[in-house]
């Protein structure tokens, strides 16, 4: 096999895969979100166990209400609705909406045309929340700020029931973290035992992902159980069937490119994971915890962790051993995880994600160099065997059986493996696809600069310099190795235009991916020169 054909085959497979992904996305059923649908969602919310008041709140209730509780930390800027105690807005302070701008990235929000909130309720026989009514909490103040030198910040909301029982809902924020602990402290001052149960969900207006062919991304729900470590449950799945899974521990989440929100209930308790669709507009996924009995005179706490932030694998793993799987590397996760860890290792030394990508490229190509050398050697031997192979063809004509036997004897005598040129491509393909998903899924590359004009490795090169250089290096690689004289003229013509075709495709690839490919091409050109020089000394052309 020709070297450049191997590389171009990988590119062809990648583009084919991306085209197929985009076709799937374009032809999947697309829910329509309209004002009528939003109105329908309000009427049907009670039937779907999603709070009507919270989900259908107007923009005035969320953005301008003086009753909302405002919490700020070094990582989060949060608004909590005292009715129900739901998180109706969460801005990520350290992640900006746009590069070199001060406006933070808002993950949770509630606007007239879009809802994405985190709800939590205390239900059960003696719960204070129901499908039609939520507890109205009182707070000591409306503004809470994590002060300098303070590691934790507690935001207590209090509700006193008609029977005198005090329910305190406490939000605990931690310095440097995106997870929030949500606890219900039930002080049973009555004479009867109380049975309560925590329920929590994430509700979101059904919205298409911002995915495109060169950057296929997922937007929708996901969950984890003891049986299924990670499972996507997209909006279409929620529309067709409500999720109902009983598991010890587990978690539920809403995903989008680079960011995630997730509820993580207690790992040592049995929880029920559920989903629902509210009208035609809103989908939710959540859990119902174990029933707790609070004896008279006793105070008991039930709670769960809520994460709202970037897909930081280390932070996610602290909450649940499987929550880091929301960084979805697909079937090649077993290969992608060590590649990601190696990239993190390189970055810890060089402090630049572009340089880390270059070092990853050198490492991968270095590991594959012995196989690449074997590939070129096998190709050279096969090329030198062409005259003898032609003699065999002339001798045996159409007798394929004898021709095959004679060819095998010739390979054995000359110590040539006809499949030797295929092994590197077989190994390169999974490595390339694994690295592709690592670069696609790594939030660390978002707004990460490289050098000069590359200010964000997660988006395309603004001046298309890297794609053009990539096309040039592909052309050089093609010219370094002459076409086989037996190649079909049409195939030869296609090969000549491949650098142009794929250079065009790379115009829309994220700069980090193009950088990897470009450096790989340069390394491959140098490798070819070195290997060819060695083969020439051995008399192989």
């Amino acid at each position: 096999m020709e070297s450049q054909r191997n590389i171009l085959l990988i590119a062809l497979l990648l583009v084919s895969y991306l085209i197929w992904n985009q076709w799937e996305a374009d032809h999947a059923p697309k829910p329509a979100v309209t004002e009528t649908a939003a109105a329908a969602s309000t009427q049907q919310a009670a039937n779907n166990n999603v709070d009507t008041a919270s989900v259908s709140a107007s923009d005035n209730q969320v953005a301008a209400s003086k009753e909302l509780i405002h919490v700020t930390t070094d990582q989060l800027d949060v608004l909590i609705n005292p009715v129900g105690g739901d998180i109706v807005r969460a801005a990520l302070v350290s992640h900006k909406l746009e590069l070199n701008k001060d406006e933070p990235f808002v993950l949770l929000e509630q606007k007239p045309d879009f809802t994405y909130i985190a709800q939590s309720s205390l239900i059960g026989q003696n719960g204070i929340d129901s499908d039609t009514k939520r507890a109205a909490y009182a707070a000591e103040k409306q503004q809470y700020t994590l002060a300098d030198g303070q590691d934790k910040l507690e935001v207590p909301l209090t509700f006193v029931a008609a029977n005198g029982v005090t329910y305190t809902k406490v939000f605990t924020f931690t310095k440097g973290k995106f997870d929030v602990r949500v606890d219900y402290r039930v002080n049973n001052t009555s004479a009867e035992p109380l049975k309560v149960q925590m329920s929590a969900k994430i509700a979101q207006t059904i919205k298409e992902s911002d995915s495109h062919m060169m950057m296929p991304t997922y937007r929708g729900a996901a969950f984890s159980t003891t049986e299924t470590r990670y499972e996507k449950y997209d909006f279409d799945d929620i529309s067709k069937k409500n999720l109902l899974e009983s598991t010890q521990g587990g978690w539920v989440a809403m995903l989008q490119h680079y960011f995630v929100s997730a509820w993580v209930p207690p790992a040592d308790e049995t929880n029920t994971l559920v989903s629902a669709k509210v009208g035609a507009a809103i989908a939710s996924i959540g859990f119902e915890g174990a029933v707790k009995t609070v004896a008279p005179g006793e105070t008991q706490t039930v709670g769960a962790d809520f994460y709202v932030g970037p897909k930081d694998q280390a932070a996610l793993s602290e909450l649940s051993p499987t929550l880091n799987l929301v960084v979805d590397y697909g079937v090649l996760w077993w290969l992608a995880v060590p590649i990601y860890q190696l990239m993190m290792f390189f970055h810890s030394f060089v402090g630049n994600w572009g340089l880390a990508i270059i070092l990853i490229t050198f490492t991968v190509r270095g590991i594959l160099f012995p196989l690449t050398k074997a590939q070129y050697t096998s190709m050279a031997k096969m090329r030198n065997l062409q005259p003898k192979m032609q003699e065999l063809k002339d001798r045996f004509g159409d007798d394929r059986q004898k021709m095959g036997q004679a060819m095998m004897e010739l390979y054995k005598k000359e110590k040539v493996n006809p499949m030797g040129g295929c092994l590197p491509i077989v190994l390169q393909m999974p490595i390339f696809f694994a690295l592709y998903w690592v670069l696609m899924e790594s939030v660390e590359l978002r707004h990460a600069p490289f050098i000069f004009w590359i200010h964000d490795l997660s988006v395309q090169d603004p001046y298309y310099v890297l794609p053009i250089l990539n096309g040039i290096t592909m052309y050089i690689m093609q010219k370094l190795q002459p076409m086989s004289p037996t190649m079909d003229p049409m195939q030869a013509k296609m090969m000549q235009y491949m650098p142009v075709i794929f250079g065009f495709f790379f115009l829309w690839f994220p700069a980090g991916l193009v950088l990897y490919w470009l450096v790989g091409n340069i390394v491959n050109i140098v490798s070819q020169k070195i290997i060819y020089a060695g083969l020439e000394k051995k008399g192989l052309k």
Side-chain angles (χ1 to χ4, degrees), residues 28 67 72 117 178 215 300 351 406 432 457 474 481 512 517:
E67 297 179 357
T72 55
I117 62 175
F178 292 94
M215 189 178 283
Q300 194 169 142
F432 173 78
L457 287 165
M474 291 178 75
Q481 190 166 33
W517 194 276

Side-chain angles (χ1 to χ4, degrees), residues 438-459:
V438 167
L439 298 180
M440 277 288 298
E441 285 287 297
S442 297
V443 68
E444 291 84 358
L445 296 184
R446 183 178 185 266
H447 294 172
F450 176 37
I451 56 172
F452 305 129
W453 71 99
I454 304 296
H455 302 296
D456 188 349
L457 287 165
S458 68
V459 299

Side-chain angles (χ1 to χ4, degrees), residues 191-208:
E192 301 294 330
L194 303 177
K195 292 185 181 294
V196 294
Q197 182 182 11
M198 183 176 179
S199 171
K201 60 179 66 69
I202 306 166
Q204 180 177 178
T205 301
I206 297 173
K207 180 180 179 182
E208 293 179 41

Side-chain angles (χ1 to χ4, degrees), residues 468-510:
I468 292 172
L469 292 176
N470 185 70
I472 293 172
T473 55
M474 291 178 75
Y475 177 79
I476 294 172
M477 285 169 55
Q478 186 184 83
K479 288 299 181 182
L480 274 177
Q481 190 166 33
M483 296 291 182
S484 170
T486 60
M487 182 180 289
D488 178 75
M490 181 59 71
Q491 186 182 5
K493 184 68 72 175
M494 283 292 294
M495 293 298 294
Q496 291 177 1
Y497 285 104
M498 278 296 184
V500 177
I501 295 171
F502 286 103
F504 177 77
F505 277 116
F506 279 125
L507 293 176
W508 289 275
F509 269 74

Side-chain angles (χ1 to χ4, degrees), residues 228-241:
T228 306
R229 299 176 72 239
Y230 169 71
E231 184 75 24
K232 290 179 180 177
Y233 207 71
D234 62 27
F235 294 137
D236 193 40
D237 292 328
I238 295 175
S239 299
K240 292 177 181 177
K241 182 181 179 181

Side-chain angles (χ1 to χ4, degrees), residues 247-267:
T247 180
Q248 180 174 334
W251 51 260
V252 293
M254 282 286 185
L255 316 180
Q256 64 191 68
H257 196 206
Y258 295 137
F259 301 99
V260 57
S261 61
W263 279 109
V264 184

Side-chain angles (χ1 to χ4, degrees), residues 345-393:
F345 172 77
F346 285 143
H347 180 265
S348 67
F349 284 98
V350 298
N352 182 293
W353 289 108
L355 294 178
I357 291 172
I358 292 174
L359 291 175
I360 278 282
T361 310
F362 286 153
T363 302
V364 171
R365 297 292 179 172
I367 292 173
L368 292 177
F369 182 79
L371 294 174
T372 304
K373 184 177 180 180
Q375 171 193 7
Y376 288 127
T377 302
S378 177
M379 289 162 47
K381 288 182 177 179
M382 288 292 291
R383 187 178 295 273
N384 280 269
L385 285 181
Q386 287 294 330
K388 294 182 180 180
M389 291 171 66
Q390 187 60 47
E391 290 178 9
L392 293 178
K393 289 180 182 179

